[in-house]
Amino acid sequence: MNEIICPHCKKAFKVDEAGFADILKQVRDHEFEKELMERVHMLERDKENAVKLAEANTKNELQASAAKKDAEIAELKAQKEFAVAQIEAKKNAELSELKAELQTIESEKKLALTEAVNKVEKERDLLVGELKTKDTEKQLLETSLKEKFENELKSKDEMIAYYKDMKAKLSTKMVGETLEQHCEIEFNKLRATAFPNAYFEKDNDATTGSKGDYIYRETDEAGNEIISIMFEMKNEGDETATKKKNEDFLRELDKDRSEKKCEYAVLVTLLEADNELYNTGIVDVSHKYPKMYVIRPQFFIPMITLLRNAALNSLKYKSELALVKAQNIDVTNFESQLDDFRDSFGRNYRLASEKFKTAIDSIDNSIKQLQKTKENLLRSEDNLRIANNKADELTVKKLTRGNPTMSAKFVEMNDNNKGV
């Protein structure tokens, strides 16, 4: 227990350890808070003094800086005014110089313009004179060309009339043969140089009932076919009574191509001379008949060249295809030979079986016949045995029994034998 004197009433009282510790804590906390508040007030006063000092210093510095800036601004203004004055003076001097130069240029320009105008006027006068001369030459040239054109047109008309008259005099067959001869001559001109390995001859094989006009075939060095074309040439005189169309010959041409095993079919035609479809160039009619074209005679060689070049690009694939076909043919031949062997073997086996069966039937028949013969022989043996038994049983007494004559003869024969 601790004894404590009250500071107000001066009386002493006792408290235990816990109460005493609580009182001490209260006293310490009070003193600490008091001291803390004093320290806070002191720091606030120091802070206010420092702020005031800083404000005073900053104010002084700002005033000094403002004075310095004002001095610098005044100096810059003076420099600016001096520079502006110099620039104005220089600008006025340059402006004066430019005005002088401009006046000089204007004078020179007016002089040059006057000279150019004079030159252009002179050239204009020359051109006007040349133009008049050109107009005169043009009129003379037009007159000359017109006369030349009229003469050529008259010559062409005379030539057309001549050919019409010639075609009217020719039969349709002769006209067709003339077109064929033209194509053959055009081909033979290039055969040695452009088509050395090509075959181009008339189709004379009519075994199937019809034939084309010409067949073109070309092979490579190994004998593989590069391309084959069935050609039909058609033309007729302008004065013929029956006019035919190109379409009238397409079906028959496709039939000839198929029968002669040609890859392409080409109709070289002069029919329908006014038809712009056939006059524009090569006409592809593959939408009606496979790999078929209609051309005018002037496209005969280009058509062969185009198809040939396209075929040469695929020659490698054709060679590979020919090799595959040859291999397939070898397999087919082997299978065919094997089938022939099977058929021959089966036929021979069937014939042998039939002969064997006939032989077996013959043997069976022979066996049956021999069996019958055996049975007959066995029956004969029985008969012979019975006959032999009967012969063994036969005696003189049995023979002479009931026959006095024979008995007398035997008695007489026995007596004679005894006498000898």
Side-chain angles (χ1 to χ4, degrees):
M1 299 296 289
N2 295 310
E3 186 175 337
I4 298 175
I5 298 174
C6 178
H8 299 286
C9 63
K10 305 298 183 180
K11 289 182 180 181
F13 60 92
K14 294 181 179 181
V15 293
D16 57 7
E17 293 292 334
F20 183 76
D22 186 37
I23 293 171
L24 286 176
K25 182 178 181 300
Q26 293 178 8
V27 173
R28 287 194 192 97
D29 291 341
H30 180 72
E31 291 296 329
F32 177 76
E33 185 177 355
K34 183 179 179 181
E35 186 177 355
L36 181 62
M37 292 301 296
E38 291 177 355
R39 181 66 59 87
V40 169
H41 290 311
M42 187 182 297
L43 290 173
E44 287 180 353
R45 286 194 299 271
D46 293 341
K47 179 181 177 183
E48 291 177 357
N49 294 331
V51 170
K52 290 179 180 179
L53 180 61
E55 288 178 352
N57 292 333
T58 302
K59 186 175 180 181
N60 294 330
E61 291 177 357
L62 290 173
Q63 290 176 353
S65 177
K68 186 178 179 180
K69 292 291 183 183
D70 291 337
E72 291 177 354
I73 289 170
E75 184 178 0
L76 289 172
K77 284 182 178 180
Q79 292 177 357
K80 178 182 177 183
E81 290 176 356
F82 180 74
V84 169
Q86 288 183 341
I87 290 170
E88 288 290 337
K90 186 176 180 181
K91 183 172 71 173
N92 292 331
E94 291 177 352
L95 184 60
S96 300
E97 292 178 358
L98 289 173
K99 286 181 178 180
E101 291 178 358
L102 184 60
Q103 290 177 356
T104 304
I105 292 171
E106 287 291 335
S107 301
E108 292 177 353
K109 186 190 294 184
K110 288 180 180 179
L111 180 61
L113 181 61
T114 302
E115 292 177 354
V117 169
N118 294 332
K119 185 178 180 180
V120 168
E121 287 178 351
K122 290 180 180 179
E123 292 178 353
R124 182 196 61 189
D125 295 337
L126 291 174
L127 289 173
V128 169
E130 291 179 358
L131 185 60
K132 290 180 180 179
T133 305
K134 294 291 184 183
D135 288 337
T136 304
E137 292 178 354
K138 180 182 177 183
Q139 291 177 357
L140 293 174
L141 182 61
E142 287 179 352
T143 304
S144 176
L145 289 175
K146 186 176 180 180
E147 292 177 355
K148 183 179 180 180
F149 177 75
E150 289 176 352
N151 292 332
E152 289 182 356
L153 184 61
K154 184 178 179 181
S155 176
K156 295 292 184 184
D157 291 338
E158 291 175 354
M159 187 176 295
I160 291 171
Y162 169 77
Y163 280 114
K164 283 185 176 181
D165 182 65
M166 182 187 70
K167 292 172 73 175
K169 292 177 181 178
L170 292 173
S171 65
T172 302
K173 183 176 185 300
M174 289 179 64
V175 172
E177 288 178 351
T178 303
L179 179 59
E180 293 176 5
Q181 291 170 2
H182 165 76
C183 294
E184 186 172 359
I185 290 170
E186 290 298 315
F187 182 83
N188 288 331
K189 288 179 181 178
L190 301 173
R191 182 192 291 268
T193 56
F195 310 105
N197 297 325
Y199 165 90
F200 182 73
E201 300 293 341
K202 286 186 69 67
D203 180 18
N204 296 318
D205 183 10
T207 55
T208 58
S210 64
K211 62 185 182 69
D213 287 334
Y214 281 86
I215 295 178
Y216 173 91
R217 294 186 189 275
E218 185 173 357
T219 59
D220 60 6
E221 299 298 333
N224 297 319
E225 182 176 292
I226 299 174
I227 188 174
S228 57
I229 309 172
M230 170 64 72
F231 280 101
E232 183 77 14
M233 285 75 171
K234 287 298 176 184
N235 189 11
E236 63 184 6
D238 294 335
E239 305 300 327
T240 53
T242 58
K243 295 289 186 179
K244 291 189 176 181
K245 295 183 178 181
N246 292 314
E247 292 186 1
D248 298 338
F249 302 96
L250 299 183
R251 182 185 297 275
E252 190 69 20
L253 177 57
D254 182 65
K255 177 184 175 184
D256 294 336
R257 179 189 68 84
S258 301
E259 291 176 347
K260 302 304 168 57
K261 293 180 172 51
C262 292
E263 185 177 1
Y264 293 94
V266 177
L267 175 63
V268 184
T269 176
L270 285 172
L271 303 178
E272 300 183 67
D274 298 330
N275 192 327
E276 290 300 322
L277 173 64
Y278 301 109
N279 292 335
T280 54
I282 298 172
V283 180
D284 184 358
V285 292
S286 299
H287 60 284
K288 293 184 177 180
Y289 301 96
K291 295 186 176 183
M292 183 178 292
Y293 301 90
V294 180
I295 62 173
R296 294 303 188 193
Q298 61 266 30
F299 296 104
F300 173 66
I301 295 298
M303 188 72 218
I304 296 177
T305 304
L306 288 173
L307 295 179
R308 178 174 177 265
N309 291 338
L312 286 174
N313 292 332
S314 61
L315 180 61
K316 177 182 176 182
Y317 304 103
K318 285 189 176 181
S319 300
E320 294 177 356
L321 182 62
L323 179 61
V324 172
K325 285 183 177 179
Q327 293 174 351
N328 291 336
I329 288 172
D330 291 341
V331 174
T332 303
N333 291 335
F334 175 77
E335 292 177 350
S336 178
Q337 292 174 359
L338 182 60
D339 292 338
D340 291 340
F341 171 76
R342 288 175 177 171
D343 294 339
S344 300
F345 182 81
R347 184 172 59 256
N348 294 333
Y349 176 78
R350 187 173 61 256
L351 294 174
S353 297
E354 292 174 355
K355 296 292 183 183
F356 186 75
K357 184 178 179 181
T358 303
I360 291 175
D361 292 340
S362 299
I363 292 172
D364 289 340
N365 293 330
S366 300
I367 290 172
K368 291 179 180 178
Q369 190 66 33
L370 291 173
Q371 189 69 29
K372 291 180 179 179
T373 305
K374 179 182 176 182
E375 292 176 356
N376 293 329
L377 289 173
L378 291 175
R379 291 193 186 98
S380 299
E381 183 182 3
D382 292 340
N383 292 326
L384 289 172
R385 182 176 51 79
I386 295 170
N388 187 43
N389 293 334
K390 290 182 177 181
D392 290 339
E393 294 175 355
L394 183 63
T395 60
V396 175
K397 290 180 178 180
K398 289 182 178 181
L399 289 174
T400 58
R401 182 182 301 163
N403 191 343
T405 303
M406 289 303 298
S407 298
K409 289 291 184 182
F410 277 107
V411 170
E412 183 179 359
M413 186 175 62
N414 287 331
D415 291 339
N416 290 331
N417 288 334
K418 290 178 179 180
V420 176

